[in-house]
Coordinates of all heavy atoms in Angstrom, one line a residue:
Chain A
D165 N -0.8 15.0 -13.9 CA -1.8 15.4 -14.8 C -2.7 16.3 -14.3 O -3.1 17.3 -15.0 CB -2.6 14.0 -15.2 CG -1.7 13.1 -15.9 OD1 -0.7 13.5 -16.5 OD2 -2.0 11.9 -15.8
I168 N -1.3 19.8 -13.9 CA -1.1 20.5 -15.1 C -2.4 20.9 -15.8 O -2.6 22.1 -16.1 CB -0.4 19.6 -16.2 CG1 1.1 19.5 -15.6 CG2 -0.3 20.3 -17.5 CD1 1.9 18.4 -16.4
I172 N -3.5 24.8 -16.4 CA -4.1 25.2 -17.7 C -5.5 25.9 -17.6 O -5.8 26.9 -18.2 CB -4.0 24.2 -18.7 CG1 -2.5 23.7 -19.0 CG2 -4.7 24.5 -20.1 CD1 -2.4 22.5 -19.9
T176 N -6.4 29.9 -18.2 CA -7.4 30.1 -19.2 C -8.5 31.0 -18.6 O -8.9 32.0 -19.1 CB -8.0 28.9 -19.8 OG1 -7.0 28.0 -20.2 CG2 -8.9 29.2 -20.9
F179 N -7.3 34.4 -18.0 CA -7.2 35.2 -19.2 C -8.5 35.7 -19.7 O -8.7 36.8 -20.1 CB -6.6 34.2 -20.2 CG -6.4 34.8 -21.6 CD1 -5.6 35.8 -21.9 CD2 -7.3 34.4 -22.6 CE1 -5.6 36.5 -23.2 CE2 -7.4 35.0 -23.9 CZ -6.4 35.9 -24.1
I180 N -9.5 34.8 -19.6 CA -10.8 35.2 -20.0 C -11.4 36.3 -19.2 O -11.9 37.3 -19.6 CB -11.9 34.1 -20.1 CG1 -11.4 33.1 -21.2 CG2 -13.3 34.4 -20.3 CD1 -12.2 31.8 -21.2
F183 N -9.9 39.3 -20.3 CA -10.1 39.6 -21.6 C -11.6 40.2 -21.9 O -11.8 41.0 -22.7 CB -9.9 38.4 -22.6 CG -10.4 38.4 -23.9 CD1 -9.7 39.3 -24.9 CD2 -11.4 37.7 -24.4 CE1 -10.3 39.3 -26.1 CE2 -11.9 37.8 -25.7 CZ -11.3 38.7 -26.6
L184 N -12.5 39.6 -21.1 CA -13.9 39.9 -21.3 C -14.3 41.5 -21.2 O -14.9 41.9 -22.2 CB -14.7 39.2 -20.2 CG -16.1 38.8 -20.7 CD1 -16.0 38.1 -21.9 CD2 -16.8 38.0 -19.6
V191 N -18.0 49.0 -27.7 CA -19.3 49.4 -27.5 C -19.4 50.4 -26.4 O -20.2 51.4 -26.5 CB -20.1 48.0 -26.9 CG1 -21.5 48.5 -26.5 CG2 -20.1 47.0 -27.9
H199 N -24.1 59.3 -25.1 CA -24.4 60.2 -23.8 C -23.9 61.6 -24.0 O -24.5 62.5 -23.6 CB -24.0 59.6 -22.7 CG -24.7 58.4 -22.2 ND1 -24.2 57.2 -21.8 CD2 -26.1 58.2 -22.2 CE1 -25.2 56.3 -21.5 NE2 -26.2 56.9 -21.7
E247 N -37.4 78.8 -22.6 CA -38.4 77.6 -22.6 C -37.7 76.6 -23.5 O -37.2 76.9 -24.6 CB -39.7 78.1 -23.3 CG -40.9 77.2 -23.3 CD -42.0 77.7 -24.0 OE1 -42.2 78.9 -24.3 OE2 -42.9 76.8 -24.5
P248 N -37.7 75.3 -23.1 CA -37.2 74.3 -23.8 C -37.7 74.3 -25.4 O -38.8 74.4 -25.6 CB -37.5 73.0 -23.2 CG -37.7 73.4 -21.7 CD -38.3 74.7 -22.0
D249 N -36.7 74.0 -26.3 CA -37.0 74.0 -27.7 C -37.4 75.3 -28.3 O -37.7 75.3 -29.5 CB -38.2 73.0 -28.0 CG -37.7 71.5 -27.6 OD1 -36.5 71.3 -27.5 OD2 -38.6 70.7 -27.3
D293 N -36.7 68.0 -43.1 CA -36.4 66.9 -43.9 C -35.1 66.8 -44.4 O -34.7 65.9 -45.3 CB -37.4 66.9 -45.1 CG -37.3 68.1 -45.9 OD1 -36.5 69.0 -45.6 OD2 -38.2 68.4 -46.8
K295 N -31.3 65.3 -44.4 CA -30.9 63.9 -44.1 C -29.3 64.1 -43.9 O -28.7 65.0 -44.3 CB -31.2 63.1 -45.2 CG -32.6 63.0 -45.6 CD -32.8 62.2 -46.9 CE -34.3 62.2 -47.4 NZ -34.9 63.7 -47.6
Y326 N -27.6 63.4 -32.7 CA -28.9 63.6 -32.1 C -29.5 64.8 -32.7 O -28.8 65.8 -33.1 CB -28.7 63.8 -30.6 CG -29.0 62.7 -29.7 CD1 -27.9 61.8 -29.4 CD2 -30.2 62.4 -29.2 CE1 -28.0 60.6 -28.7 CE2 -30.3 61.1 -28.4 CZ -29.2 60.4 -28.1 OH -29.5 59.3 -27.4
E327 N -30.9 64.7 -32.9 CA -31.6 65.9 -33.5 C -32.8 66.4 -32.4 O -33.4 65.4 -31.9 CB -32.1 65.6 -34.9 CG -32.8 64.4 -35.1 CD -33.1 64.3 -36.5 OE1 -32.2 64.1 -37.4 OE2 -34.4 64.1 -36.8
R328 N -33.0 67.5 -32.5 CA -34.0 68.0 -31.7 C -35.0 68.9 -32.6 O -34.4 69.9 -33.2 CB -33.5 69.0 -30.5 CG -32.6 68.1 -29.5 CD -33.2 67.1 -28.7 NE -34.4 67.6 -28.0 CZ -34.3 67.9 -26.8 NH1 -33.2 67.8 -26.0 NH2 -35.4 68.4 -26.1
N329 N -36.2 68.7 -32.4 CA -37.2 69.6 -33.0 C -37.3 70.9 -32.4 O -37.6 70.8 -31.2 CB -38.5 68.9 -33.4 CG -38.4 67.8 -34.3 OD1 -37.6 67.8 -35.3 ND2 -39.4 66.9 -34.3
P370 N -43.8 70.3 -50.6 CA -44.8 71.2 -50.0 C -44.0 72.6 -49.8 O -42.8 72.6 -49.5 CB -45.0 70.7 -48.6 CG -43.9 69.8 -48.3 CD -43.4 69.3 -49.6
R372 N -42.7 75.7 -47.7 CA -42.3 75.7 -46.3 C -42.8 76.9 -45.5 O -43.5 76.8 -44.5 CB -40.9 75.7 -46.1 CG -40.3 74.3 -46.6 CD -39.2 73.8 -45.8 NE -38.7 72.4 -46.0 CZ -38.0 72.1 -47.0 NH1 -37.3 73.0 -47.7 NH2 -37.6 70.8 -47.2
N443 N -52.5 72.8 -48.8 CA -53.7 71.9 -48.8 C -54.3 71.9 -50.2 O -54.9 70.9 -50.6 CB -54.8 72.6 -47.9 CG -54.6 72.4 -46.4 OD1 -53.7 71.5 -46.1 ND2 -55.2 73.1 -45.5
R446 N -52.2 69.5 -52.0 CA -52.5 68.0 -51.6 C -53.8 67.6 -52.2 O -53.8 66.5 -52.6 CB -52.5 68.1 -50.1 CG -52.7 66.7 -49.4 CD -53.1 66.7 -48.0 NE -54.4 67.3 -47.9 CZ -54.8 68.2 -46.9 NH1 -54.0 68.6 -46.1 NH2 -56.0 68.6 -47.0
D476 N -39.8 75.6 -41.9 CA -41.2 75.2 -42.0 C -42.1 75.9 -41.1 O -41.6 76.4 -40.0 CB -41.3 73.6 -41.5 CG -41.1 72.7 -42.7 OD1 -39.9 72.5 -42.9 OD2 -42.0 72.2 -43.3
L478 N -45.2 75.7 -39.1 CA -46.0 74.8 -38.5 C -46.7 75.3 -37.2 O -46.1 75.7 -36.4 CB -45.6 73.3 -38.3 CG -44.7 72.7 -39.5 CD1 -44.0 71.6 -39.0 CD2 -45.9 72.4 -40.5
A479 N -48.0 75.2 -37.1 CA -48.7 75.6 -35.8 C -48.3 77.0 -35.5 O -48.2 77.3 -34.2 CB -48.5 74.5 -34.8
K481 N -45.5 78.5 -36.0 CA -44.1 78.6 -35.5 C -43.1 78.3 -36.5 O -43.4 77.5 -37.5 CB -43.9 77.7 -34.4 CG -44.7 78.1 -33.1 CD -44.7 76.9 -32.1 CE -45.4 77.2 -31.0 NZ -45.7 76.1 -30.1
V483 N -40.4 76.2 -37.6 CA -39.8 75.0 -37.0 C -38.6 74.5 -37.9 O -38.7 74.5 -39.1 CB -41.0 74.0 -37.0 CG1 -40.5 72.7 -36.3 CG2 -42.2 74.5 -36.3
Chain B
A929 N -0.5 10.0 -18.2 CA -0.4 11.3 -17.8 C -0.6 12.2 -19.1 O -1.2 13.2 -19.1 CB 0.9 11.6 -17.2
F932 N -4.3 12.9 -20.1 CA -5.1 13.9 -19.3 C -4.6 15.4 -19.6 O -5.4 16.3 -19.6 CB -4.9 13.6 -17.7 CG -5.6 12.4 -17.4 CD1 -5.0 11.4 -16.6 CD2 -6.9 12.3 -17.6 CE1 -5.8 10.3 -16.2 CE2 -7.7 11.2 -17.2 CZ -7.2 10.2 -16.4
T933 N -3.4 15.6 -19.7 CA -2.8 17.0 -20.0 C -3.4 17.3 -21.4 O -3.8 18.6 -21.4 CB -1.4 16.9 -20.1 OG1 -0.9 16.5 -18.9 CG2 -0.8 18.4 -20.1
V937 N -5.7 20.7 -22.1 CA -5.4 21.8 -23.1 C -6.4 22.0 -24.1 O -6.9 23.1 -24.4 CB -4.0 21.5 -23.9 CG1 -3.7 22.5 -25.1 CG2 -2.8 21.5 -22.9
S940 N -9.6 23.8 -22.6 CA -9.3 25.2 -22.2 C -9.5 26.0 -23.7 O -10.0 27.0 -23.7 CB -7.9 25.5 -21.8 OG -7.7 24.6 -20.7
L944 N -12.1 28.9 -24.7 CA -11.7 30.1 -25.1 C -12.3 30.6 -26.5 O -12.7 31.7 -26.7 CB -10.2 30.1 -25.2 CG -9.4 31.5 -25.4 CD1 -9.6 32.4 -24.2 CD2 -8.0 31.2 -25.6
L947 N -16.1 31.2 -26.2 CA -16.4 32.5 -25.5 C -16.0 33.7 -26.3 O -16.8 34.6 -26.4 CB -15.6 32.6 -24.2 CG -16.3 31.7 -23.0 CD1 -15.4 31.8 -21.8 CD2 -17.6 32.5 -22.6
Y948 N -14.9 33.6 -27.1 CA -14.5 34.6 -28.0 C -15.5 34.8 -29.1 O -16.0 36.0 -29.4 CB -13.1 34.4 -28.5 CG -12.6 35.5 -29.4 CD1 -12.0 36.5 -28.8 CD2 -12.7 35.5 -30.8 CE1 -11.4 37.5 -29.6 CE2 -12.3 36.5 -31.6 CZ -11.7 37.4 -31.0 OH -11.2 38.5 -31.8
F951 N -19.0 36.4 -27.7 CA -19.0 37.7 -27.5 C -18.8 38.7 -28.5 O -19.2 40.0 -28.5 CB -18.2 38.1 -26.2 CG -18.7 37.7 -24.9 CD1 -18.4 36.5 -24.3 CD2 -19.9 38.2 -24.4 CE1 -18.9 36.1 -23.1 CE2 -20.5 37.8 -23.2 CZ -19.9 36.8 -22.7
M960 N -27.5 48.6 -22.6 CA -27.6 50.0 -22.8 C -28.1 50.3 -24.3 O -28.5 51.4 -24.6 CB -26.3 50.7 -22.6 CG -25.9 50.6 -21.1 SD -26.9 51.7 -20.0 CE -26.3 53.2 -20.5
W961 N -27.8 49.5 -25.2 CA -28.1 49.9 -26.7 C -29.4 50.4 -27.0 O -29.6 51.3 -27.7 CB -27.6 48.7 -27.5 CG -26.2 48.5 -27.7 CD1 -25.2 49.0 -26.9 CD2 -25.6 47.7 -28.7 NE1 -24.0 48.7 -27.4 CE2 -24.2 48.0 -28.5 CE3 -26.0 47.1 -29.8 CZ2 -23.2 47.4 -29.3 CZ3 -25.1 46.4 -30.7 CH2 -23.7 46.7 -30.3
I964 N -30.3 53.8 -26.2 CA -29.7 54.8 -27.1 C -30.8 55.2 -28.2 O -31.0 56.4 -28.4 CB -28.5 54.4 -27.7 CG1 -27.4 54.3 -26.6 CG2 -28.0 55.4 -28.8 CD1 -26.2 53.5 -27.1
A967 N -33.8 56.9 -26.7 CA -33.7 58.3 -26.3 C -33.9 59.3 -27.5 O -34.6 60.3 -27.3 CB -32.3 58.4 -25.8
Q968 N -33.5 58.9 -28.7 CA -33.7 59.9 -29.8 C -35.1 60.0 -30.1 O -35.7 61.0 -30.3 CB -32.8 59.3 -31.0 CG -33.1 60.1 -32.2 CD -32.7 61.6 -32.4 OE1 -31.7 61.9 -32.7 NE2 -33.5 62.4 -31.7
D975 N -40.3 66.7 -28.2 CA -40.3 68.0 -28.9 C -41.5 68.2 -29.9 O -41.8 69.4 -29.9 CB -38.9 67.9 -29.8 CG -37.6 68.0 -28.9 OD1 -37.8 68.4 -27.8 OD2 -36.5 67.6 -29.4
T976 N -42.0 67.3 -30.5 CA -43.0 67.4 -31.5 C -44.2 67.8 -30.7 O -44.9 68.9 -31.1 CB -43.3 66.1 -32.2 OG1 -42.2 65.8 -32.9 CG2 -44.5 66.3 -33.0
K978 N -44.3 69.4 -27.9 CA -44.0 70.8 -27.4 C -44.2 71.8 -28.4 O -44.8 72.9 -28.3 CB -42.6 70.7 -26.8 CG -42.2 72.0 -26.3 CD -41.7 72.0 -24.8 CE -41.4 73.1 -24.0 NZ -42.1 74.3 -24.4
V979 N -43.7 71.5 -29.6 CA -43.8 72.6 -30.6 C -45.2 72.8 -31.1 O -45.7 73.9 -31.3 CB -43.0 72.1 -32.0 CG1 -43.2 73.0 -33.1 CG2 -41.4 72.1 -31.6
D981 N -47.8 72.5 -29.3 CA -48.7 73.0 -28.2 C -48.6 74.6 -28.4 O -47.7 75.3 -28.4 CB -48.0 72.7 -26.8 CG -48.9 73.2 -25.6 OD1 -49.9 73.9 -26.0 OD2 -48.5 72.8 -24.6
Y982 N -49.7 75.1 -28.7 CA -49.9 76.5 -29.1 C -50.2 77.3 -27.9 O -51.4 77.2 -27.3 CB -50.9 76.7 -30.3 CG -50.8 78.2 -30.8 CD1 -50.0 78.5 -31.8 CD2 -51.9 79.0 -30.4 CE1 -49.9 79.8 -32.3 CE2 -51.9 80.4 -31.0 CZ -50.9 80.7 -31.9 OH -51.0 82.0 -32.5
Q994 N -53.2 73.2 -37.0 CA -52.0 72.4 -36.8 C -51.6 72.1 -35.3 O -50.8 71.3 -35.1 CB -50.7 72.9 -37.7 CG -51.1 72.8 -39.1 CD -49.9 73.4 -39.8 OE1 -49.2 74.3 -39.4 NE2 -49.7 73.0 -41.1
Q1011 N -56.6 67.1 -41.3 CA -55.5 67.0 -42.0 C -54.3 67.9 -41.9 O -53.2 67.4 -42.0 CB -56.0 67.1 -43.5 CG -56.7 65.8 -44.2 CD -55.7 64.7 -44.1 OE1 -54.4 64.7 -44.6 NE2 -56.2 63.6 -43.5
D1012 N -54.6 69.0 -41.4 CA -53.4 70.1 -41.3 C -52.6 69.5 -40.2 O -51.4 69.6 -40.1 CB -54.1 71.4 -40.9 CG -54.7 72.0 -42.2 OD1 -54.5 71.6 -43.3 OD2 -55.4 72.9 -42.0
Y1015 N -50.6 66.5 -41.1 CA -49.4 67.0 -41.9 C -48.3 67.5 -41.1 O -47.2 67.2 -41.1 CB -49.9 68.0 -42.9 CG -48.8 68.8 -43.6 CD1 -48.1 68.1 -44.7 CD2 -48.3 70.0 -43.2 CE1 -47.0 68.8 -45.3 CE2 -47.3 70.7 -43.9 CZ -46.6 70.1 -44.9 OH -45.5 70.6 -45.4
R1019 N -44.7 65.7 -40.6 CA -43.6 66.4 -41.1 C -42.5 66.5 -39.9 O -41.3 66.4 -40.2 CB -44.0 67.8 -41.4 CG -43.0 68.5 -42.1 CD -43.3 69.1 -43.4 NE -42.3 69.8 -44.0 CZ -41.4 69.3 -44.9 NH1 -41.4 68.1 -45.4 NH2 -40.2 70.0 -45.3
M1020 N -42.9 66.5 -38.6 CA -42.0 66.6 -37.6 C -41.4 65.3 -37.2 O -40.2 65.2 -36.7 CB -42.6 67.3 -36.4 CG -42.9 68.7 -36.8 SD -43.4 69.6 -35.3 CE -41.9 69.7 -34.4
Y1022 N -41.2 62.7 -39.1 CA -40.6 62.1 -40.3 C -40.0 60.7 -40.3 O -38.9 60.5 -39.6 CB -39.4 63.2 -40.6 CG -38.8 63.1 -42.0 CD1 -39.6 63.3 -43.1 CD2 -37.5 62.7 -42.2 CE1 -39.1 63.1 -44.3 CE2 -37.0 62.7 -43.4 CZ -37.9 62.8 -44.6 OH -37.2 62.7 -45.7

Side-chain angles (χ1 to χ4, degrees):
Chain A
D165 294 328
I168 293 171
I172 292 171
T176 309
F179 174 73
I180 289 170
F183 170 69
L184 208 56
V191 174
H199 285 141
E247 190 185 337
D249 297 339
D293 54 6
K295 300 171 190 59
Y326 264 86
E327 49 183 61
R328 302 294 303 262
N329 288 338
R372 295 214 170 92
N443 285 348
R446 185 194 64 222
D476 276 79
L478 302 173
K481 297 167 180 166
V483 183
Chain B
F932 285 126
T933 305
V937 171
S940 310
L944 192 62
L947 278 171
Y948 183 84
F951 284 107
M960 295 290 287
W961 281 20
I964 293 166
Q968 170 66 100
D975 290 341
T976 299
K978 183 131 189 18
V979 170
D981 185 353
Y982 188 80
Q994 289 175 334
Q1011 276 298 309
D1012 293 344
Y1015 168 78
R1019 190 119 179 100
M1020 294 188 69
Y1022 194 61

